[in-house]
Amino acid sequence: MKTFLIPATALALCMAAASALAAPGTVLRNDKLYSQPSASSKVAASVSKGSSVDILSRQGGWLRVTSGRSTGWIRLLSVRAGAGGLGGARLGDVVGAATTRSDPSRVVAVAGLRGLNEEDLKQAKFNAEELARLNAWQASPAQVRSFAAKAGLMATSVAALPAPRPATTSSPWEAN
């Protein structure tokens, strides 16, 4: 194995080039930077709402960002792409999560990003074979009871919630 020494100026140039390739972003709420793209991984740092970050990469619903001297993974929906702070942030500004109302032909996702992009969603079609394969995994009531019994779980009856009633008001202004 050979060891190479890299001059400090070359290292600085590489780091400057890497940050030049990063996209700017703004943190939308107080959040944590994780060492891996998982909420169960070690917390590397914390970032405050309004902080500027450099977006380095994306993996599923996570972004790898640099904030100050810290680098880590943050949830995709916690960052707005682009420079300019929080002013005027709209749902369409969130990285790849949604679009603005001005283009009704675009698909809007509000939660649960799982690696599908807008084009994938537009081209989606019903597939009866896949639905049948999914239904094959369905457990029967008897299988569910057997599984629960093996785990020591017991059925419990829970009273139904009362039926909703119209709101009553004590203010005479509400009746007008």
Side-chain angles (χ1 to χ4, degrees):
M1 177 198 259
K2 292 185 179 182
T3 303
F4 296 96
L5 295 177
I6 300 173
T9 53
L11 185 59
L13 285 173
C14 288
M15 292 183 72
S19 66
L21 296 175
T26 304
V27 178
L28 298 174
R29 60 180 156 261
N30 294 338
D31 209 339
K32 297 173 185 161
L33 293 182
Y34 295 92
S35 59
Q36 299 294 321
S38 168
S40 61
S41 68
K42 180 182 171 191
V43 174
S46 293
V47 288
S48 301
K49 178 179 178 178
S51 297
S52 294
V53 295
D54 289 321
I55 302 168
L56 305 174
S57 63
R58 176 180 170 196
Q59 182 177 327
W62 293 86
L63 295 174
R64 187 165 185 262
V65 300
T66 297
S67 177
R69 294 183 180 182
S70 301
T71 299
W73 293 88
I74 190 170
R75 290 174 183 88
L76 176 74
L77 295 176
S78 294
V79 176
R80 181 177 71 85
L86 294 174
R90 298 180 306 219
L91 183 59
D93 294 327
V94 178
V95 180
T99 62
T100 61
R101 291 185 184 180
S102 61
D103 186 358
S105 68
R106 296 183 71 190
V107 176
V108 177
V110 292
L113 297 174
R114 297 284 185 229
L116 295 175
N117 62 30
E118 183 176 333
E119 201 56 38
D120 293 334
L121 294 172
K122 283 182 179 178
Q123 294 178 4
K125 293 183 176 83
F126 176 74
N127 186 330
E129 287 180 25
E130 288 298 319
L131 182 59
R133 288 179 60 199
L134 181 62
N135 284 336
W137 287 94
Q138 181 178 359
S140 70
Q143 290 171 316
V144 172
R145 282 190 294 276
S146 171
F147 178 80
K150 288 178 184 173
L153 302 174
M154 298 182 329
T156 302
S157 295
V158 178
L161 294 173
R165 290 180 282 173
T168 58
T169 180
S170 59
S171 169
W173 296 103
E174 300 262 341
N176 290 337

